[in-house]
Amino acid sequence: MRFPALVIRNLRRRPLASMLTGLSVSLGVGLFASVGALREASEIGFQRSASLCDMLVGAKGSGLQLSLNALYHMGQSQGNVPYEVYAELEKTQGVLWSVPIAIGDSFRSHRIVGVTSNFFQQVQVHSGTESRPLEFAEGEAFAFSPEAFAQLKADLANHQQGEPMPHQASWFQAVLGATVAKRTGMGVGDHFHPTHGVQGAAEEHEDGESEVVGVLAPTGTPVDRAIYLPIGVYYVMQGHEPTADMKAGGSLDPRGLSAIMLHTKAGFYRTQIYRTVNDRLDAMAVYPSVEMRNLFAMLNQGDFVLKWITALIVVVALIGVMVAIYNTMGARRGEFAVLRALGAKRRTILGLVTCESAVLSMLGGVVGLGFAGLLVMAVSGQVEAQTGVALAPSISLAELELLAAVTLAGALAGLVPALSAYRTEAAQIL
Amino acid sequence: MIHLLNIRKSYENVAESAPVLGFRELHIGAGERVALTGESGSGKTTLLNMLSGLLVPDVGEVRIDGTNIAALSEAQRDRFRAANIGYVFQTFHLLQGYTVQENVELGALFARGHQEAGRAAFLLESVGLEHRRRHLPNQLSVGQQARVALARALMNKPRVLLADEPTGALDPETGRQVLALLLDSAQQYGITMVCATHDPGVAAAFDKIVRVEDLQ
Ligand SMILES: Nc1ncnc2c1ncn2[C@@H]1O[C@H](COP(=O)(O)OP(=O)(O)OP(=O)(O)O)[C@@H](O)[C@H]1O
Ligand SMILES: [Mg+2]
């Protein structure tokens, strides 16, 4: 029989009270930890996706909306950026690579993204300190080079209404993100019809039947949720020709680009490109990682309130622990008196009750962190299903600090009943 | 061994002019087994508590083996008690949430350096309860509880064994058995023993009888 065994035994003697009060601490700690952990995990996850390219160019508007629309396949497009912007950027010094993006079609609620084939060679997925290129689980990339895109643009400029569209059958090839392949059950060799519009239930493109030629390996980014087609297809399918009231080259011109992904040389060139694009009247450049950082800084404001509320729940739970232990003090006087008669110091009795409260709080805290872990994992699954962003749950120093704080607070709460135990006069009771 | 000198003890919360206990001297030799008798309320329990250091006299010395425990701080008295005193109560006061073996082990928990593996089992065997090691106190008869209480009191190898009416809660036959066990243990281990009782039959079994009233 040792002192720690005494503490544990005393908690187990009142299993129901110990469990209920411990669980209430778990609940509070779980909620408190989830708030921070979820935010942190999503921030890391979203930042990883933001680093697919270092700059985005799009129509003037909200930088956040541009980032969400172009990289995360969320929300609505704010309009198009003229093709000429892309053509100029292609030739700009300091641009390491650029990929034009067209968005607007979908297949069974999976967005179809038109890109040039260098997308598959250039884009890097960053996780931690590592960065890996996109890998194919099956098949390979389609062939639609930036040069082919430039050629198509030239052909379209000379195109007369009524003439057949200048395209080749070999363009109608698609690469699926990992999630799309899993959800639709499609693989290399399967055919599908894109539908117009991103919300589903819209009209099918009769002329847009495409064959799957490749499936990407999972990346934990929104890439998993997209279907990639050669961007040229967007320009030759019916329903995508400009109508008379859409000014060619304007931001509503469907033959513009939804966005341009850019990878630039860091430092002078990057800043220079950023400035030059933003000086234009028909385009803007944003750093997606900055947009995400600002978004999360804003969300953190809300976190702050939640943190206080959940901290209050922890405090209330600890008061519950205190009251539960305090209520047993009367019945335990005899026990304390016997321990004193066996040679226990008053301080030992004080320590015993304090430790009971601290250990109960700590166990509650451990279970609570477990709850938080499960919750974050569950939410991560949801978030990944919804956004393609794989969150990055982890046990950090903050969690261990939280556990230490809860244990200490539990000990403090225990001091109240412990002081009452301390005052037990053994000689009067035995 | 035990030497009490010029003792005065009154309870401050009682507005009585005469102290509960007041006497010149009480001497108990090493290994002596003494019965403490007296009317109810005469101060037997008070005297035992002073010997254990749970109470201190208002004035006077309580010397045990040369140490005046009345002059020690409370924490020092606690340490002294943990190391040197065994105490058997009238209602035994076994801790309910603990097994018989654990209750016995508790007897040495606070005596640093006195824990000894196997001693609890040895003591339980010597009081004839080794087969009840895993039982809880409320699964024992009162006589068995008394024997567990004795084993617990012996756990720290005390030099002084105090007992407060140890047979008071027992039927005569069981009382005799427990008393015999107490007296034998004290003799076997050379422990000085002081036992409060108002049963003359019990008192007669001791080496010496001290009437509290006669001390005054
Ligand atoms: N904590 C206390 N506060 C006030 N008075 C007390 C206290 N404890 C004991 N007394 C009083 O001191 C006197 C001696 O009590 P004590 O318990 O020592 O007697 P006792 O000889 O053990 O009696 P009994 O045979 O009934 O156990 C009694 O008058 C009692 O009322
Ligand atoms: Mg008494």
Side-chain angles (χ1 to χ4, degrees), chain B residues 18 21-22 32 43 46 56-57 60 76 120 137 151:
Chain B
L21 277 173
E32 242 185 332
T46 303
V56 280
Q76 286 171 323

Side-chain angles (χ1 to χ4, degrees), chain A residues 428, chain B residues 11 13-14 20 39-46 165 198:
Chain A
Q428 282 178 22
Chain B
Y11 289 100
N13 52 339
V14 177
V20 173
E39 295 294 308
S40 177
S42 58
K44 301 183 291 295
T45 300
T46 303
E165 317 246 15
H198 49 226

Side-chain angles (χ1 to χ4, degrees), chain A residues 1 9-10 340-341 346, chain B residues 74 78 81 98 102 109:
Chain A
M1 215 61 247
R9 177 56 57 89
N10 286 338
R340 289 293 315 283
R346 278 183 200 272
Chain B
E74 189 181 46
D78 291 333
R81 175 167 62 253
Y98 299 81
E102 286 166 344
L109 179 64

Side-chain angles (χ1 to χ4, degrees), chain A residues 133-349:
Chain A
L134 293 176
E135 281 161 15
F136 279 83
E138 202 189 339
E140 55 181 15
F142 50 72
F144 188 81
S145 64
E147 292 74 34
F149 187 35
Q151 183 60 53
L152 170 66
K153 271 302 195 179
D155 293 347
L156 280 174
N158 303 323
H159 180 252
Q160 298 300 314
Q161 204 133 25
E163 281 179 24
M165 280 290 184
H167 66 77
Q168 297 163 22
S170 68
W171 290 356
F172 291 86
Q173 295 186 330
V175 167
L176 308 183
T179 310
V180 178
K182 209 166 84 186
R183 293 245 186 94
T184 61
M186 291 198 299
V188 170
D190 289 330
H191 292 255
F192 67 97
H193 284 277
T195 49
H196 194 62
V198 294
Q199 301 293 4
E203 82 220 59
E204 275 190 8
H205 286 295
E206 295 287 327
D207 57 345
E209 182 174 326
S210 303
E211 183 187 357
V212 178
V213 295
V215 175
L216 290 168
T219 62
T221 72
V223 168
D224 298 349
R225 279 172 52 247
I227 299 174
Y228 295 93
L229 275 182
I231 190 166
V233 170
Y234 258 90
Y235 291 84
V236 298
M237 278 190 294
Q238 278 166 20
H240 285 186
E241 313 93 338
T243 48
D245 53 328
M246 292 177 183
K247 204 167 112 258
S251 74
L252 281 176
D253 180 355
R255 294 189 183 177
L257 300 165
S258 301
I260 305 160
M261 288 172 79
L262 280 187
H263 199 62
T264 54
K265 220 170 180 164
F268 170 76
Y269 285 114
R270 183 174 295 169
T271 326
Q272 190 66 22
I273 294 163
Y274 182 79
R275 286 232 195 92
T276 314
V277 173
N278 280 319
D279 282 345
R280 298 181 67 112
L281 294 173
D282 54 358
M284 76 173 171
V286 298
Y287 297 118
S289 59
V290 172
E291 295 299 327
M292 285 302 126
R293 200 181 317 138
N294 292 343
L295 172 65
F296 278 96
M298 210 166 70
L299 294 178
N300 284 348
Q301 303 282 308
D303 263 21
F304 182 74
V305 176
L306 271 180
K307 280 264 169 202
W308 276 103
I309 294 173
T310 50
L312 219 63
I313 297 177
V314 176
V315 169
V316 170
L318 288 173
I319 292 174
V321 170
M322 180 181 88
V323 170
I325 294 181
Y326 193 88
N327 282 340
T328 65
M329 286 299 108
R332 293 179 66 187
R333 296 241 167 259
E335 171 193 335
F336 299 139
V338 171
L339 293 177
R340 289 293 315 283
L342 295 174
K345 297 186 179 68
R346 278 183 200 272
R347 268 190 283 129
T348 309
I349 305 292

Side-chain angles (χ1 to χ4, degrees), chain B residues 26-148:
Chain B
L26 171 63
H27 183 85
I28 297 169
E32 242 185 332
R33 299 169 301 177
V34 174
L36 208 54
T37 61
E39 295 294 308
S40 177
S42 58
K44 301 183 291 295
T45 300
T46 303
L47 187 52
L48 287 179
N49 283 338
M50 286 196 301
L51 290 174
S52 74
L54 282 173
L55 285 180
V56 280
D58 304 335
V59 285
E61 293 179 16
V62 181
R63 294 200 167 273
I64 297 179
D65 245 1
T67 307
N68 177 16
I69 62 169
L72 299 178
S73 72
E74 189 181 46
Q76 286 171 323
R77 273 182 278 130
D78 291 333
R79 201 170 307 136
F80 185 88
R81 175 167 62 253
N84 300 300
I85 310 279
Y87 211 143
V88 176
F89 309 97
Q90 179 171 2
T91 51
F92 315 122
H93 289 306
L94 300 182
L95 293 193
Q96 287 308 322
Y98 299 81
T99 64
V100 163
Q101 164 132 1
E102 286 166 344
N103 263 283
V104 176
E105 284 169 352
L106 279 173
L109 179 64
F110 307 102
R112 221 167 285 142
H114 285 237
Q115 285 108 335
E116 199 177 285
R119 180 161 172 81
F122 162 76
L123 287 172
L124 278 172
E125 197 177 330
S126 70
V127 298
L129 286 174
E130 67 275 18
H131 58 294
R132 294 292 168 119
R133 288 192 311 132
R134 305 208 176 284
H135 285 67
L136 292 173
N138 57 15
Q139 297 169 319
L140 300 180
S141 72
V142 190
Q144 288 170 328
Q145 288 179 31
R147 288 189 271 160
V148 176

